[in-house]
Amino acid sequence: MDQQDQTGLQEFIPACAGWFPLDRFKALAYFEQSSFFAAAGRDANGQPITVNNTEARLAGLDPAVPGVLESLPHGRPEFVLENSQEPNAFTIRKQIRTSANPQERPLVLAYYYIANNKIMQAPSAHQVTHARLQRCTFALQQGFEKLQDQQQAVSCRGAVFGTRKG
């Protein structure tokens, strides 16, 4: 499944301001109003796909209630509230259960978080590692350039002092 990178975006939904402060049930419903959730309902060609959260709501069920999503068919994307520190911080996991067996771990596609009522996509482990490696590379490059400049200065002084004989 093609996953669009939306890590630079954040969203606040003014129409849902009456829901604040959020709790674990309202947080997932709030997330379902976002463009992050809407994007999950379309494939790479823009065709609609079934999301288990939407199916649960259409059946009159709350996907935030434990066991509701597990009762729906596997192989479709779904959003699960993973952690919460009510009322300001929530972590939501986008996943696909590859089997009906509850012992099997789902395939995690992305993480999102709600912080102070703003919804954001968390960066992937690859993005975090790449950014840190870039910072390390930059620091090493700067260090080597400084070392090279100091070595040239010492070499120049040595050449000047080495030519004098007393």
Side-chain angles (χ1 to χ4, degrees), residues 9-123:
L9 304 176
Q10 63 176 302
E11 187 170 351
F12 174 77
I13 305 168
C16 299
W19 297 4
F20 304 138
L22 296 175
D23 61 23
R24 59 173 278 119
F25 298 100
K26 289 190 270 184
L28 196 56
Y30 180 65
F31 178 80
E32 290 170 1
Q33 302 305 308
S34 73
S35 61
F36 298 105
F37 184 81
R42 302 247 174 237
D43 67 11
N45 298 321
Q47 298 300 313
I49 58 173
T50 303
V51 178
N52 277 345
N53 297 62
T54 304
E55 290 298 305
R57 296 249 185 240
L58 290 173
L61 303 170
D62 187 348
V65 173
V68 168
L69 292 175
E70 291 80 3
S71 69
L72 297 172
H74 63 279
R76 302 191 300 201
E78 56 192 27
F79 294 84
V80 179
L81 184 66
E82 185 165 294
N83 293 310
S84 67
Q85 292 181 336
E86 296 177 19
N88 297 320
F90 303 89
T91 305
I92 297 169
R93 179 179 67 231
K94 179 181 180 182
Q95 66 181 24
I96 294 180
R97 288 179 292 114
T98 56
S99 167
N101 181 356
Q103 302 303 319
E104 281 194 39
R105 296 180 74 167
L107 173 64
V108 176
L109 301 174
Y111 282 97
Y112 301 87
Y113 52 96
I114 301 173
N116 296 321
N117 305 325
K118 291 185 180 89
I119 305 169
M120 296 157 271
Q121 182 177 352

Side-chain angles (χ1 to χ4, degrees), residues 147-161:
L147 183 64
Q148 187 176 17
D149 290 345
Q150 289 174 349
Q151 186 179 14
Q152 286 175 349
V154 169
S155 296
C156 289
R157 279 187 284 181
V160 171
F161 292 123

